[in-house]
């Protein structure tokens, strides 16, 4: 049996995640704009690869945000259900909110790994042999 305060523990976590996701989105949007301008001036394969990577990352960030929002909404509905003494529904909605938060963080992990690949493309371009170092 959960109390109203149990689902409320997710609020700070989800709020901070949403802020972090939004900051990532805004930073990537700026980079895309800059790279798109460079691509117009110079048709470069490296720039195209970077933009493709960024496009996928922006899509993942939108999914991260959507799943985070759904987690927060499920959490709110859980609180409402527990408050109106619909205990089983409240517990189910709280479980759903945790699953949605897990999904959001899983997509976030995928996006972070892609961020490393984006830097690898830039580093390859900087090296004379066109290859990045293996570590």
């Amino acid at each position: 049996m959960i109390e109203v305060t149990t689902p409320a523990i997710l609020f700070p976590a989800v709020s901070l995640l949403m802020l972090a996701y939004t900051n990532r989105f805004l930073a990537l949007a700026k980079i895309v704009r800059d790279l798109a301008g460079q691509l117009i001036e110079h048709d470069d394969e490296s720039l195209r690869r970077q933009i493709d990577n960024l496009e996928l990352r922006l899509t993942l960030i939108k999914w991260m945000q959507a799943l985070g929002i759904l987690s927060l909404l499920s959490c709110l509905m859980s609180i409402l259900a527990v408050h109106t003494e619909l205990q089983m529904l409240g517990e189910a909605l709280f479980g759903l909110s945790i699953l949605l938060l897990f999904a959001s963080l899983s997509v976030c992990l995928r996006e972070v790994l892609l961020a490393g690949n984006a830097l690898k493309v830039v580093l390859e371009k900087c090296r004379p042999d066109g290859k990045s170092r293996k570590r």
Side-chain angles (χ1 to χ4, degrees):
M1 185 158 148
I2 65 173
E3 297 178 16
V4 172
T5 56
T6 304
I9 63 172
L10 285 184
F11 277 89
V14 174
S15 298
L16 287 173
L17 280 175
M18 295 305 295
L19 182 62
Y21 293 168
T22 300
N23 287 340
R24 287 183 80 81
F25 183 85
L26 293 173
L28 288 184
K30 182 185 180 328
I31 294 169
V32 167
R33 286 185 193 95
D34 293 344
L35 288 178
Q38 291 177 28
L39 188 61
I40 290 170
E41 293 174 15
H42 311 89
D43 190 10
D44 181 10
E45 180 61 28
S46 172
L47 290 175
R48 287 190 184 283
R49 287 175 53 204
Q50 290 177 61
I51 289 174
D52 289 345
N53 179 286
L54 291 168
E55 184 178 14
L56 176 56
R57 289 176 59 200
L58 287 168
T59 299
L60 290 174
I61 290 173
K62 286 189 273 185
W63 275 104
M64 289 160 39
Q65 289 173 321
L67 290 166
I69 290 167
L70 290 172
S71 174
L72 191 58
L73 289 173
S74 179
C75 193
L76 284 170
M77 291 186 297
S78 173
I79 290 171
L80 181 63
V82 171
H83 184 70
T84 57
E85 299 181 7
L86 297 170
Q87 190 66 34
M88 287 183 63
L89 178 61
E91 290 174 6
L93 288 168
F94 181 59
L96 177 63
S97 67
I98 291 173
L99 289 174
L100 289 166
L101 184 57
F102 178 82
S104 177
L105 291 170
S106 297
V107 175
C108 182
L109 176 62
R110 174 75 173 122
E111 192 274 329
V112 167
L113 295 174
L114 281 174
N117 288 342
L119 292 175
K120 186 178 175 182
V121 170
V122 173
L123 293 172
E124 285 174 359
K125 187 175 180 180
C126 295
R127 293 187 48 84
D129 61 1
K131 296 179 182 175
S132 64
R133 292 183 189 174
K134 303 280 183 192
R135 288 195 174 195

